[in-house]
Amino acid sequence: MSKRLLLFMLAAVFSASASASASASASASASASASASASDVVIYVDHAYRPYNYEENGKVKGMYIDVLNTAFSRMQGFRVTIEAVPWVRAKRYMEVGKGFAIVPVFFHGHDWPYLHPYSIPFSKESIEVLCDESVLSTPRPNWPDDYKGLKIGKPSGNGWGGSRFEKMVKQGMITLEDSSTTTMMIKKIGKKRLDCIMIERLSFNYYMKKLKSAGEYDEGGEDALLKKGAVISEGLIYMGYSRPAREAGTYPFQFDFMQQFDSIMFKMLESGEVERIMASYQE
């Protein structure tokens, strides 16, 4: 992640909204301060997206969890719980207005109408194509056109690939297969049941290291040797809020929560605290 670029974008977003929200922010903050009890808030995350966020032995863990909990601990008037669920379910909660917010998400204003607004971005991820070495004997730098006729895997619930990719899948030019877990997806391509997979770079490194350590992936031996293909996308990461819940007035404290979270997260990014927390997972 380019800290300078991210902070530049954050500063633009933050300063543009600051003056417009000043009076409303003061009113909402005063209201929250006047309340004797804290508001309970549940944030939903993917239960199996290591090393970013995951559930293990009943506890929610991960890089983003540490970042979020640090921010939440500094907010006034809120008791925040992070709950890990299958990603498809988390998205459904947002769609029907059952939940308050989900994280991590790319910006999906163009294709997830139920998710809005968004927090300021606090990280960046790179989604790439990894293929069986033999598939890349012919160079395939252009996504998705160079991947016609192939069987591509991705984790369930993720809207990766882009609109042209989705169109090619519908037209039968590319075969798409979802996997319920990333581990399962990697094992499938290892046994040549998939030609390529779409996966986030750091997440792949984490899972592959675990599989090799457990003796469950023999890369280049019994299992396929994987090579990097095209970069599908690189995008900023946000917390996204349920639009139906907002419109229904389910969470009257939403503006105060958003203002506090964005202010605290901006300071964490500016000080390098977010970068230090994430770096501890890559050592």
Side-chain angles (χ1 to χ4, degrees):
M1 173 177 61
S2 172
K3 179 181 174 185
R4 179 175 298 177
L5 175 60
L6 183 55
L7 284 174
F8 175 80
M9 296 183 70
L10 287 174
V13 172
F14 212 60
S15 60
S17 62
S19 58
S21 64
S23 59
S25 173
S27 175
S29 297
S31 175
S33 299
S35 176
S37 59
S39 298
D40 291 308
V41 179
V42 178
I43 306 296
Y44 293 100
V45 300
D46 190 341
H47 73 308
Y49 189 38
R50 297 172 183 252
Y52 295 108
N53 38 261
Y54 59 95
E55 186 174 29
E56 184 176 74
N57 299 324
K59 295 183 178 181
V60 185
K61 303 178 179 180
M63 180 188 300
Y64 289 158
I65 304 305
D66 289 353
V67 171
L68 292 171
N69 278 333
T70 299
F72 295 153
S73 70
R74 297 170 186 171
M75 296 175 67
Q76 301 296 315
F78 297 100
R79 285 188 299 268
V80 185
T81 301
I82 300 177
E83 186 174 331
V85 298
W87 193 234
V88 173
R89 188 189 307 170
K91 289 168 59 180
R92 180 60 179 166
Y93 286 166
M94 298 300 103
E95 190 171 6
V96 300
K98 177 180 178 179
F100 180 66
I102 57 173
V103 66
V105 290
F106 292 115
F107 182 79
H108 278 283
H110 58 294
D111 59 353
W112 292 4
Y114 53 84
L115 202 66
H116 196 273
Y118 293 78
S119 71
I120 60 171
F122 60 89
S123 186
K124 186 176 182 180
E125 293 182 15
S126 176
I127 309 301
E128 302 175 345
V129 184
L130 294 177
C131 301
D132 182 325
E133 182 183 36
S134 62
V135 174
L136 294 181
S137 58
T138 299
R140 300 177 187 269
N142 302 306
W143 175 264
D145 297 82
D146 289 345
Y147 294 80
K148 294 177 184 177
L150 300 181
K151 189 173 185 179
I152 311 293
K154 77 172 181 66
S156 298
N158 287 302
W160 297 341
S163 58
R164 178 163 176 75
F165 169 74
E166 292 175 358
K167 183 177 180 180
M168 292 175 70
V169 170
K170 289 179 180 179
Q171 294 175 340
M173 301 170 70
I174 294 176
T175 300
L176 175 64
E177 181 173 312
D178 283 358
S179 294
S180 58
T181 69
T182 302
T183 296
M184 180 186 298
M185 182 179 70
I186 294 174
K187 287 183 176 181
K188 283 181 182 178
I189 192 171
K191 299 305 179 186
K192 299 183 182 294
R193 292 167 55 191
L194 297 170
D195 297 307
C196 304
I197 59 175
M198 293 187 283
I199 194 164
E200 198 282 324
R201 180 190 303 164
L202 185 58
S203 182
F204 171 76
N205 292 340
Y206 180 93
Y207 279 102
M208 182 58 87
K209 182 178 179 180
K210 289 287 186 182
L211 286 170
K212 287 182 176 179
S213 296
E216 297 180 19
Y217 199 99
D218 180 22
E219 189 171 22
E222 294 185 1
D223 296 302
L225 178 63
L226 304 182
K227 296 292 185 181
K228 177 182 172 181
V231 174
I232 298 174
S233 63
E234 291 185 319
L236 298 172
I237 297 299
Y238 308 80
M239 179 187 299
Y241 300 92
S242 170
R243 178 177 177 178
R246 173 175 58 83
E247 292 178 341
T250 306
Y251 304 103
F253 52 75
Q254 183 179 21
F255 184 87
D256 186 46
F257 181 96
M258 292 169 55
Q259 191 275 333
Q260 285 197 49
F261 179 80
D262 286 355
S263 296
I264 291 168
M265 186 58 70
F266 184 84
K267 291 176 182 176
M268 290 175 62
L269 286 160
E270 192 174 36
S271 69
E273 186 173 9
V274 170
E275 189 172 22
R276 289 192 295 272
I277 292 173
M278 292 186 178
S280 67
Y281 281 80
Q282 301 177 54
E283 294 176 349

